[in-house]
Each structure stands twice: as structure tokens, then as C-alpha cells.
Amino acid sequence: MNNPHYLQPVRITDNVYWVGAVDWNVNEFHGYRTVRGSTYNAFLILDEKITLIDTVKAPFKNHLLSRISAIVDPEKISYIVSNHAEPDHSGCLAEVAALVKPEKIFASTAGKKALLQHYEFDQDIEAVKTGDEISLGRETIRFIETKMVHWPDSMFSYLVGDKMLFSQDAFGMHLAGSALFADEYEHDILHWEAEKYYANILMLYSGKIKQLLEKLPEFKLDIKYLAPDHGPIFRRSEDIAMIIGWYRNWVDLPLSRKAVVVYDTMWHATEKMAFAIADGLRDAGAEPHLIRIGARDRSQVATELLDSGAIIAGSPTLNNQLFPSMADVLTYLKGLRPQNRIGAAFGSFGWSGEGVAQVETYLRDMNVEIVADSIKQKYVPKTDDLQRCYEQGRKVGEELLRRLKK
Ligand code: FEO
């Protein structure tokens, strides 16, 4: 195949190369603000049956082919494994398969179905299930279905000889960089981006991920390399233990003293209320985190909420409705369903004031337990009004501390 190799692969082991793409400039990922860009990781295994694990987002097809071409002629690829059908990993799969003409394409049963519902293929896709193995010659790949982590089709592939787990979205993060391995990044950046990824992509599936983590020992995996489809690859045992440890903590959505106060404001009246509420939270022993939507985005709110015990949300009323920006963030959070949080609602209004009740409805729909009365403020809060806001924050903070002591 005539495909100039203007981009280079990265060697992981003697037999496995990273051949994916770095998307430095992507900043929006179906609602998730990816301020550090992302990567679409794909891997080439050299063996008697040369095997490609996953592909990349469609516009990066030539990056993939270019990196592969630096190692082998892509037409020599025998097998393609698709661990996940979402288009950031399968967007160029059908086109690549048409060029390469592999002997076989493997996906989970749900993956096969999803791929055929997305694309047209010239060949059949072979469905595999948990425990199935394929031989590449010297090497073996074992499959583990990971349904709803985070799509129905999601699957892990484990390369037995090299002890490498290709974990698709799980353990990933949206982090573009020139380095491939986790030990080449600062710890705090890894933690924030992994936490943000978990909160925005996986929080809703925490129960399924908990089950998967509990079941993992049954598969007797000796993981020397943990290779997700986004962000860095983990190659040191302490880093693998670190990311799995983070997940073991996040799946329980544990409460903390942190309390998110998220609001938007029209003429700063709702904002004054937010400041007073934050002081009440602080004086009760909680740790308020104020987020004004607009200055921060919905993905950051979700991330802060992952390890918060409370959410207090505020909105002005505009044309009989809550602010559009608050409807946006609360709709987003409702979908992620953070569990066991407590909270309250507040906001300023001019003449009708429906916004606060709408905020409270959103919070209840998220299963947030409302532990303090909502506060509706006519126009601008005065000293007495701000005292009521302070008391609301204090009441939520005291209740949070009481629950943490249980
Ligand atoms: Fe990275 Fe669910 O796709």
C-alpha cells in the first residue's frame, strides 16, 4: 500500500506499538469540555497475525495509517479488534478495513451490532465473548466484555504474553501530549484529568464499574501495561495500582466536606446570595466551592461534584424560567446522577420567580435530598436576606457534617 509514513509510531514492547492520534485541539466532546485535548489510542501487535487494536476518529485515519506504515505495510494486518464502537475509536474502521482487507474483524456481540448500525463493511465481523481467546501465533488475546463501561458494546482485550490490558475508555483521560506514558506526566494533572473523565463519562455507570472491579480478580490478569484508548499508558506497577485505586474510590461516590455552590447571575443579586451561602457552609465546617457558570463549564461542575457531599444551586428567573445556563448544567448533572448528595436551591427574581422552584425540581430529579428551604429573593438581597442565605448554607453544611460523622 502506498502510504507515506510521515508520522511515527511509539514502541511499547518489542511486539506492541502505539499507532494512534493526538488531537491537540479538540475542546468539546459531546458536552464535555476537553481543555487539554485528547488522544485516540490504537495499537499494532506484531506477530504471525499482525493485529490492530482499535482505530481512531475519522479525520485522523491518515495518522493511523502513516504510523502503521512506518512499521509494516498496512495490508499485512490480519486481524482488527474493535473494543468499542463509539466513533472516536471506530470512525475510520470500515474505511481502514476496506483498504487493509484483514482476515477477520473482532468485536463483542453488542459491538458487532453497533458497528453494523454505524457503518457498511465489505466483510463479516466475528463476535467474541468473555473468555474467548484468539491466537496471533506466539501471542494470545483474551476478551472480557465490559457492558455499559460505558456503552453496551464495550470490551477489554488482554494480550497474554506481554501482559497488556487494552481497556478502551476505562482508565482513560482526555489529555493530549507529546509523551505516551503516565510516568512522564505530573501526578496532579493525571489525577485531575482522570477524575474529570470519570465524572463526566463514567459516573452514571459507577455500579457497573464497581461490579467489574470486584470481578477482575476472577480473570487472573497480571497487568504489566494498562493501555486505555485515551490519554497516557500506564507501565509502572505503582501507576497501575494508582489509577485502579482511584477508580475503587470513585465507584462509591464517597461524600466529603466539599459543597458545590453552582449559580449564574443576571445583575449580581443571585451572586450575592451565593457568597453568603458559601460563608454559612464554611462556618458549619464544610468546604464550599463556588462555581459561576460561564466562568466555568459544566464538565468542571461534574468533576467537582464527584467528591462533594452537597450541591446548592442558584438561578435568577428570566422570562418565567430558570436561566438557560443553569438549565444546561442541571440537565447535564441530572444525566450523570450523582447519588447520596444533599442540597438546596436559591435565586433572585423580579416579578414572577419560577426559576428557584425549577432548580429545586432539577435537584430532586437528580435524587439530591433537599435539606434546607429554597430561598426566593425579590430583586436585590439586603442584610436580613443575606442572613437567611447564610443560614441556608449553614444548615446544609451542618447536615453534611452530621452525615459524615455517622
Ligand atoms: Fe472514547 Fe466511548 O469513546
Side-chain angles (χ1 to χ4, degrees):
M1 182 184 290
N2 183 17
N3 198 70
H5 48 91
Y6 60 102
L7 294 174
Q8 296 301 313
V10 180
R11 180 186 166 282
I12 302 175
T13 68
D14 286 345
N15 307 314
V16 184
Y17 287 79
W18 175 86
V19 290
V22 182
D23 192 349
W24 292 92
N25 294 310
V26 64
N27 61 12
E28 212 282 331
F29 217 101
H30 48 59
Y32 173 163
R33 288 274 168 211
T34 50
V35 294
R36 285 194 169 99
S38 193
T39 69
Y40 315 113
N41 297 335
F43 305 91
L44 191 73
I45 304 168
L46 301 181
D47 206 328
E48 288 166 32
K49 300 290 185 188
I50 295 174
T51 300
L52 177 63
I53 305 283
D54 288 322
T55 60
V56 295
K57 212 175 191 178
F60 293 91
K61 179 187 77 180
N62 285 340
H63 290 216
L64 173 78
L65 291 172
S66 167
R67 293 189 208 279
I68 294 170
S69 298
I71 311 166
V72 294
D73 183 335
E75 287 183 354
K76 291 197 165 27
I77 291 173
S78 299
Y79 296 160
I80 301 179
V81 173
S82 173
N83 281 322
H84 182 24
E86 194 163 8
D88 48 331
H89 311 294
S90 70
C92 65
L93 174 58
E95 284 181 68
V96 168
L99 285 168
V100 166
K101 301 180 184 58
E103 288 171 37
K104 292 182 178 180
I105 302 173
F106 299 96
S108 66
T109 304
K112 173 177 178 173
K113 202 169 159 187
L115 289 170
L116 293 175
Q117 287 165 339
H118 276 79
Y119 314 106
E120 291 187 27
F121 288 88
D122 299 332
Q123 65 185 100
D124 192 23
I125 295 171
E126 195 165 316
V128 291
K129 57 185 188 314
T130 297
D132 285 354
E133 293 187 345
I134 56 170
S135 171
L136 313 185
R138 299 180 306 278
E139 265 286 13
T140 299
I141 294 179
R142 187 183 304 154
F143 300 106
I144 300 163
E145 292 162 281
T146 58
K147 196 173 167 63
M148 298 319 297
V149 181
H150 70 123
W151 273 26
D153 60 273
S154 300
M155 176 172 88
F156 288 177
S157 297
Y158 179 64
L159 190 62
V160 176
D162 269 344
K163 301 179 176 176
M164 194 175 300
L165 183 68
F166 303 105
S167 61
Q168 46 93 25
D169 282 339
F171 310 115
M173 62 189 82
H174 287 310
L175 175 58
S178 52
L180 185 65
F181 298 102
D183 48 275
E184 299 172 285
Y185 289 87
E186 284 176 30
H187 174 276
D188 288 355
I189 291 176
L190 291 178
H191 186 269
W192 172 254
E193 293 301 338
E195 187 177 36
K196 189 174 181 189
Y197 191 92
Y198 186 91
N200 285 271
I201 302 285
L202 300 172
M203 179 162 30
L204 175 61
Y205 307 106
S206 291
K208 287 277 180 203
I209 299 168
K210 185 170 181 163
Q211 284 172 12
L212 176 67
L213 291 174
E214 285 167 357
K215 219 171 150 47
L216 264 188
E218 287 177 27
F219 301 116
K220 299 190 178 2
L221 306 179
D222 181 10
I223 305 170
K224 198 168 168 200
Y225 298 90
L226 180 55
D229 271 355
H230 296 290
I233 284 129
F234 302 86
R235 63 179 170 182
R236 298 191 312 193
S237 57
E238 61 265 40
D239 294 335
I240 294 168
M242 174 185 77
I243 183 85
I244 293 176
W246 290 344
Y247 269 55
R248 285 194 202 287
N249 180 40
W250 294 331
V251 290
D252 287 328
L253 301 171
L255 303 182
S256 77
R257 289 192 310 118
K258 194 199 272 188
V260 170
V261 181
V262 56
Y263 67 96
D264 206 343
T265 197
M266 200 162 160
W267 292 107
H268 301 290
T270 302
E271 184 161 63
K272 280 185 181 173
M273 300 171 78
F275 289 152
I277 290 166
D279 274 7
L281 283 162
R282 182 202 60 206
D283 289 353
E287 187 187 303
H289 279 239
L290 254 73
I291 304 177
R292 179 183 169 184
I293 289 301
R296 300 282 182 271
D297 62 71
R298 64 176 94 82
S299 319
Q300 185 157 355
V301 181
T303 312
E304 296 290 359
L305 195 55
L306 179 64
D307 65 348
S308 295
I311 174 171
I312 305 183
S315 175
T317 297
L318 176 70
N319 300 329
N320 311 110
Q321 305 297 323
L322 77 169
F323 241 36
S325 55
M326 287 305 297
D328 176 302
V329 70
L330 291 170
T331 301
Y332 189 71
L333 295 178
K334 192 167 96 175
L336 293 171
R337 282 185 233 157
Q339 298 297 308
N340 304 321
R341 270 58 188 155
I342 60 171
F346 67 98
S348 160
F349 69 101
W351 48 95
S352 59
E354 294 89 343
V356 176
Q358 291 168 359
V359 169
E360 187 175 321
T361 300
Y362 266 106
L363 293 175
R364 289 189 191 281
D365 288 349
M366 284 162 58
N367 286 334
V368 170
E369 187 181 338
I370 304 296
V371 295
D373 291 341
S374 292
I375 301 179
K376 270 175 70 173
Q377 174 62 49
K378 180 91 170 164
Y379 289 121
V380 180
K382 305 295 185 308
T383 306
D384 286 353
D385 305 316
L386 291 172
Q387 183 63 31
R388 281 195 302 141
C389 295
Y390 174 91
E391 294 302 337
Q392 187 199 58
R394 188 158 184 126
K395 190 167 180 186
V396 174
E398 284 170 353
E399 179 58 23
L400 178 57
L401 271 284
R402 192 184 68 75
R403 292 183 185 210
L404 285 170
K405 280 182 193 143
K406 267 188 190 171

